[in-house]
Amino acid sequence: MEIRIGIVNTGRELNFETDETPDAVRTAVTSALESSATHVSFTDAKGNAFIVPTAVLAYVELGTEDVRKVGFVA
């Protein structure tokens, strides 16, 4: 699944692929915001860790899970 995170006062966004489900990512972000945590962390499909301060989150966009198709697509 692809995640895009917008950061306040930054022209670029953080964009990466993760093996987490959309519900798991949504739960991690909402619980961090509701509990006034200082940061939220993510791990991408390659094992890299991202720690984002919650004070600078502009948005979190969750993509759909990719399902690989077998065969030819017309």
Side-chain angles (χ1 to χ4, degrees):
M1 174 183 71
E2 183 178 3
I3 297 178
R4 289 186 185 158
I5 300 173
I7 300 172
V8 175
N9 297 326
T10 304
R12 297 182 64 176
E13 59 190 11
L14 181 60
N15 188 8
F16 59 94
E17 296 278 331
T18 184
D19 294 331
E20 296 288 328
T21 64
D23 290 332
V25 174
R26 187 177 299 115
T27 302
V29 172
T30 55
S31 65
L33 292 174
E34 288 174 352
S35 68
S36 299
T38 58
H39 66 280
V40 62
S41 60
F42 303 98
T43 304
D44 70 358
K46 297 177 184 176
N48 299 319
F50 299 94
I51 300 172
V52 181
T54 55
V56 296
L57 283 177
Y59 63 89
V60 178
E61 181 180 325
L62 304 175
T64 59
E65 293 185 58
D66 292 333
V67 179
R68 292 187 165 217
K69 297 181 180 181
V70 178
F72 294 100
V73 178

